Amino acid sequence: MFAPEKQMTRLVIEREVNIQGHIRWVAHPEHKKNRLLIIEHQKKLYALPLYCQHAHVSLLEAKMDDNGKVICPKHGLTTDLKTNPEVFTVERQGDFFVTNTLPLIETKTVETCEEDLDHQTELDVLKTVNSALQKKVLSNLESMDSMLSEVEHKKVELEANNQHLLSVNQLIDSITNTMEEFLVVTDNQGRITRVNRYAESILNVKAKELIGSSPDNFLRDETLTEIIERFPAKNWDQRPYLYRAVYSNDGFEQEIRFRDPTGRHKDVSQKYFLLKGTLIYGSAGKEEGLILSATDISVVKAKEKQKRQADIEKHLQLLQSTLSTISQGVAMFSGIGDLQTFNESFTTNINVDSDILAQIPGYEVLFSNNQEILDPQQIPPCQKLISDKYQWVQTFKDGRIIECESAPTPTGGFVVTTRDITQSRKNEEHIRLLSTTVEQSSSEVVITDTEGTIVYVNPMFTENTGYSAEEAIGKKSNIVQSGEMPAEFYKELWSTIKASNRWKGEILNRKKSGEKFWQSMSVTPILDNNGDISHYLSLKADITKQKRAEKRLRYQAEHDLLTNLPNRSVLLHQLEDSIVDARENHKASAVLFMDLDNFKDVNDTLGHLSGDILLKLVARRLQLCTKSTDLVARLGGDEFAIVQNDITCLDDPKHLAQQIISSITRPFKVDDHLLHIGISIGITLLPSDGLDTGILLQNADMAMYEAKGVSGSHYHFFDLELQKSIQYKRTIETHLHHAIEYDELSLLFQPKIDIQTGLVVGAEALLRWQSKELGNISPAEFIPIAERSGLIIKLGSWVLDNTLKHIAAWSQSNITVPKIAVNLSTIQLLDANLILDIETALSTHQVPAHKLELEITETAAMSDPELSQVQLEAIKNTGVSIALDDFGTGYSSLSYLASLPVDRIKIDRSFVNDIQFSSQSKAIIESIIHLGNIMGKIVIAEGVEEKEQLCLLQDLGCHEVQGYYISKPITADQFIHFLNNKK
């Protein structure tokens, strides 16, 4: 606690901010403008300047470590809350902070003379004061002359110093440019300030291209990655990685090769350099920057590499010259089985490339544990080969057969020789297997001469085509042609095989019975001993079932299974084709994005089976509205889209949209029901609205939602105004999120009066928003946005809380206030927490329930009749009254209306506006009043703006009215004044 005898200074709180879960305050001393930041650390409150004195950057969101040091976000310097002389402690007292540490501004007062002094004494005092002032002015003038003289001397000194610095810089440039060493200098932020000529030549750039850039730019990616890993930087340090490395290690040294820092992919030096980095400090010990120097070490590196290479090559040449004279494969192993050397024949026999073989550990991996060898367990183990000779045959999974022989070596190891006997074994089996394989093959085998005459067919040919071998041999191979393959197909086939190349593809052939079937076919030329083509071998397989399955799968992948319309993927491909057409052939197209109106009601009332039948009927009608060149697709749910190609003017998509609306709005017969639905259509054009599939679909979707906003089936074209409107609505939503936090909301109250007595019987609380950024926003604009975004719950709670706060304040002032009404949206009415929120708010503000009325629209009550009924009855049980707003514009039944626990019925202003001119409106109002009297409800008319309207409503027996004729929405103070005048 502060000592009570010291004078306390109050700090006025400007705002309170939550920074990463911790509260901070911006404040200023009373009667002063200097702004302070107040931070809590270890249960104490500290005040420090809001702006860093070095960088003049706000410290409001600056990080603070566990020791109470605030880190500047710009340059990383810290302010210690416990030791910094500019920091002092404060305490919270109510809405202020107080301190006795902040120096107070001393003020001097001129003591007034005693009233009983005579005029002469007053004159003497004035003369004395005047004389003192004259002396002070003369003294100040002399001081100013002295200061001006000193400034002139300093100016001369500075000019001399500048000239000296220029000479020094020129001297430094001359020295560094004569050095045959790479040299770069940076400032203390890591920006390059000086580059010598040698560095320019190495990097192949001019110094002016590097000045101000980062030295990281001339490091190769692998070097930069290694530096980042070795020297991780703190979050506040935004200097180049190379600078951080030097700073972290108090120096730096590494072998590197440079890259082009400008990114122009020019060739730069491929030499190796030893790069060194050293920090530069000024005379006062302040860090001034960094010196990077690099020395060419390419010659040393090259010599080391040449020596190592020469030793290796000499050893290998000696060993290989010995082994290369042996025709068999030879591999030498140590006593423990390590592979020491081998020849080329060995690599060929075991089918392992020499480069790979050099990396294999030894015998066990090559033989005993080789997964490519069949039965490797039959191969003798390494331990036996050291002492005895062995012979064995090993078969590889790829079919090769290798004969092996081993013998011990005098050095305690062993040598293995190999010989490939695969071909000899194959030759033995070849003749026996050939005929059996071909005859029993599941593939159709046909051999023809070079003219295409059949000389051999196997049994599978007869099974596939129905032609016997006797019927086929001697005939041309085209006896099975279907006649449906294009001439180019056979031309390409023959040109391929005549060039001694294999041909492979799919072909549609015809059986002897006339049935067509698909085959996969490969044709391979057979060469004689001279390398000339003697025959052609054709292998075929029946793939008819596979083709049918592929066709079925492709159809399923590209179509909606319910409506059989193309799906979204096909639509996207069509859009891509239309975009190409627009670019290359200047053809225009339109995209129509459609959503069914009231389709959910069909599913909810008749079930999803009826909904599916309805979607099929809609799809059929859409197809009947379009041309063969158009594409109709179902995107999912009740969303459809059409790509209308080759349009000539705006009337084409317009007429199509009108035709679709006319078709869809006709009733559909589903089972025994006649269903009426609507459709909303958004239209975008290409190329005028875009040449990107995503943008086009987004544009059409935005236009569709604009059309859906109009009651009934409509279409709407996408345009820039629509895009601006949507962007504006998004801007409103963004700012609306902070409206409560920024204290931008307010309440107005529109009085309600008894039509007979003229007394105020209540008022309606109306929400208003004055945005600091956007200005005044109409409720008609922001309320629908709040409902769509879910913000209406938060706004509704604010309105209820502040309305009850006003009622409580008026009651404490002994003002008798009538019932105040608050509007509830559909979303609020269906909120499960609504009743609890109402009861909590009433209890918090100690307001009786009968002082509050909640207004709901007829449409809101009908959005979910069962839940609405439950919610309204629960509200009624709290003692809060209920008014049904906009009555007569909805579609509720009288039986449902009678069951609702409402106290008031509000006649919609649309009927009141026409009461003088429309007998129909007058009759509707009279019916509503009569209905209200029957059900015991109070009837109130809203929107009364003229005296004649008031008189007619009075004649019809209306109970209460509100509107501009009575009073426009007014502030809380104005409402109390209005209330007092009406008593």
Side-chain angles (χ1 to χ4, degrees), residues 95-113:
D95 295 332
F96 297 86
F97 289 94
V98 297
T99 181
N100 56 15
T101 305
L102 183 70
L104 298 178
I105 299 176
E106 297 181 358
T107 58
K108 296 182 180 180
T109 59
V110 178
E111 297 181 356
T112 60
C113 300

Side-chain angles (χ1 to χ4, degrees), residues 4 50 59 119 161 423 462 562 623 647 765 870 941:
L50 177 62
L59 300 177
H119 295 292
N161 288 338
Q423 192 58 45
T462 301
L562 176 64
Q623 287 176 310
I647 64 173
V870 173

